[in-house]
């Protein structure tokens, strides 16, 4: 069967592009003229073209608008452009070497400084907006409920995910909660797990690549009576039945924005929620932190800081 020039894909094919083409074929009769123009452009483009394009660029290329692009994607089954990019990313990153992806990214942004500024902010906004839509209020509430009574919160992250894990551990400590960062792998991870006990909680930051450490961590937590929250992009289905909550943090499809971006935003949401649940402790700890910092200042600076605070 052929629809608007798109042949049926061979049996067994399962790439992002083949799924896109199948979705367009299935929805073709229900698309408006402008939505068909978007769909026609999408199915004729290379994966890397779509990964690096904004909704506005796709609208211009298809002779429509960014709003039409988003509407067309939703009509054919995607939550939006970030969802399409997410589906294409695995094929692209698996088939294309990192240095080739870097050259393509550089070629895309060129030397137009204004364009570079827009590209970074556009992708950041897309990823954050996508993260907001992918995690429902109930999942967030379960995560907060798991962390709120914890005796200590263990924040685990390796490689790019280390940034968000360290950030959450540091900021939780600044609100008066016991928290620590974990980043070990291999045999060293066994030592890191020993202090985990009943009443504790773990927040795992990891976009996609599964590690043996995750399975060991979850099994250890279940054995000792600790709770686990996963902040991830692709591992939700693998762990959702064994952890208290999964919060989705979409990874970067292009490398233009930092991998840790959405994890940091989710960490801040958890932090604010936990702070509001124990405002008194948070305020008192903040006061103690300020006092300790003041003691570390040189005498003259300390006096001025005290005067500025009291005025």
């Amino acid at each position: 069967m052929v629809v608007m020039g798109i042949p049926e894909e061979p049996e067994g094919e399962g790439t992002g592009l083949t799924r896109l083409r199948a979705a367009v074929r299935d929805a073709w009769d229900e698309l408006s003229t402008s939505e068909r123009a978007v769909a026609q452009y999408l199915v004729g483009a290379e994966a890397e073209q779509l990964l690096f394009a904004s909704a506005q660029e796709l609208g211009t290329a298809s002779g429509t608008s960014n709003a039409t692009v988003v509407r067309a994607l939703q009509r054919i089954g995607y939550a939006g452009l970030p969802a399409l990019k997410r589906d294409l990313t695995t094929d692209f990153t698996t088939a294309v070497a990192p240095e080739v992806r870097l050259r393509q990214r550089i070629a895309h942004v060129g030397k137009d400084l204004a364009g570079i500024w827009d590209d970074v902010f556009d992708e950041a906004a897309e990823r954050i907006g996508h993260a907001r839509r992918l995690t429902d209020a109930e999942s967030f509430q379960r995560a907060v409920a798991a962390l709120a009574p914890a005796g200590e919160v263990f924040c685990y992250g390796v490689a790019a995910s280390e940034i968000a894990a360290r950030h959450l551990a540091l900021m939780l400590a600044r609100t008066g909660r016991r928290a620590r960062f974990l980043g070990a792998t291999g045999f060293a991870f066994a030592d890191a797990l020993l202090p985990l006990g009943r009443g504790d909680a773990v927040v795992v930051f990891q976009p996609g690549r599964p590690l043996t450490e995750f399975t060991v961590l979850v099994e250890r937590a279940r054995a000792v009576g600790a709770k686990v929250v996963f902040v991830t992009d692709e591992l939700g289905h693998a762990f959702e039945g064994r952890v208290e909550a999964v919060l989705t943090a979409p990874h970067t499809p292009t490398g233009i924005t930092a991998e840790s971006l959405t994890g940091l935003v989710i960490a801040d949401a958890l932090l604010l929620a936990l702070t509001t649940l124990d405002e008194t402790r948070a305020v008192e700890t903040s006061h103690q932190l300020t006092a300790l910092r003041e003691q570390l200042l040189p005498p003259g600076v300390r006096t001025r800081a005290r005067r500025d605070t009291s005025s």
Side-chain angles (χ1 to χ4, degrees):
M1 175 183 177
V2 176
V3 176
M4 50 146 212
I6 306 173
E8 288 281 7
E9 303 291 343
E11 290 294 328
E13 293 289 330
T15 68
L17 281 177
T18 58
R19 287 189 292 271
L20 170 62
R21 289 164 184 160
V24 169
R25 282 197 306 272
D26 292 342
W28 184 253
D29 291 339
E30 301 174 6
L31 300 179
S32 68
T33 301
S34 59
E35 290 166 353
R36 287 183 177 184
V38 173
Q40 183 75 69
Y41 179 80
L42 294 177
V43 299
E46 298 293 332
E48 55 267 32
Q49 289 178 275
L50 301 180
L51 286 175
F52 290 113
S54 66
Q56 183 174 351
E57 289 170 336
L58 291 176
T60 300
S62 60
T64 60
S65 67
N66 57 343
T68 303
V69 169
V70 174
R71 189 168 59 250
L73 285 168
Q74 292 172 342
R75 291 288 294 275
I76 62 179
Y78 295 92
L81 182 55
L84 172 61
K85 290 183 178 182
R86 187 169 181 244
D87 195 34
L88 295 171
T89 299
T90 301
D91 309 325
F92 183 63
T93 55
T94 300
V96 183
E99 63 273 18
V100 176
R101 298 200 303 269
L102 177 59
R103 283 198 298 270
Q104 290 175 336
R105 184 160 68 244
I106 293 171
H108 168 74
V109 300
K111 293 181 170 57
D112 177 7
L113 297 186
I116 290 172
W117 182 265
D118 288 342
D119 283 345
V120 172
F121 277 87
D122 285 346
E123 182 176 292
E126 285 179 355
R127 287 180 62 200
I128 291 173
H130 198 39
R132 185 177 188 176
R133 292 188 294 271
L134 287 173
T135 296
D136 56 34
E138 184 180 348
S139 297
F140 182 62
Q141 290 168 2
R142 288 200 305 270
V144 173
L147 301 179
E152 185 168 11
V153 179
F154 293 69
C155 304
Y156 184 64
V158 295
S161 299
E162 177 180 328
I163 298 172
R166 283 191 181 277
H167 171 69
L168 182 59
L170 173 64
M171 299 308 293
L172 284 174
R174 288 182 178 178
T175 66
R177 294 178 179 272
R178 292 183 59 198
R180 71 173 76 184
F181 163 74
L182 299 181
T185 56
F187 282 175
F189 189 50
D191 295 288
L193 285 179
L194 282 177
L196 182 65
R198 177 173 296 277
D200 292 334
V202 183
V203 182
V204 178
F205 293 88
Q206 176 65 12
R209 186 164 60 93
L211 300 176
T212 301
E213 284 79 358
F214 300 151
T215 299
V216 174
L217 183 155
V218 171
E219 291 178 353
R220 174 67 175 176
R222 291 169 65 90
V224 301
K227 297 181 178 180
V228 181
V229 173
F230 250 84
V231 181
T232 183
D233 186 4
E234 300 173 3
L235 302 181
H237 292 303
F239 288 94
E240 63 183 353
R242 294 180 284 164
V243 302
E244 276 59 46
V246 174
L247 308 180
T248 304
H251 58 57
T252 171
T254 64
I256 289 176
T257 52
E259 188 66 77
S260 58
L261 174 65
T262 48
L264 283 167
V265 173
I266 290 175
D268 282 340
L270 291 171
L271 178 69
L272 181 58
L274 293 170
T275 300
T276 60
L277 293 178
D278 197 344
E279 181 181 351
T280 301
R281 175 167 59 176
V283 171
E284 174 57 28
T285 304
S286 178
H287 174 72
Q288 292 179 27
L289 179 62
T290 300
L292 288 169
R293 286 173 171 173
E294 187 175 310
Q295 293 175 37
L296 295 170
L297 294 172
V301 177
R302 189 183 310 169
T303 302
R304 290 196 300 274
R306 190 181 302 115
R307 188 186 308 120
D308 292 340
T309 303
S310 60
S311 61

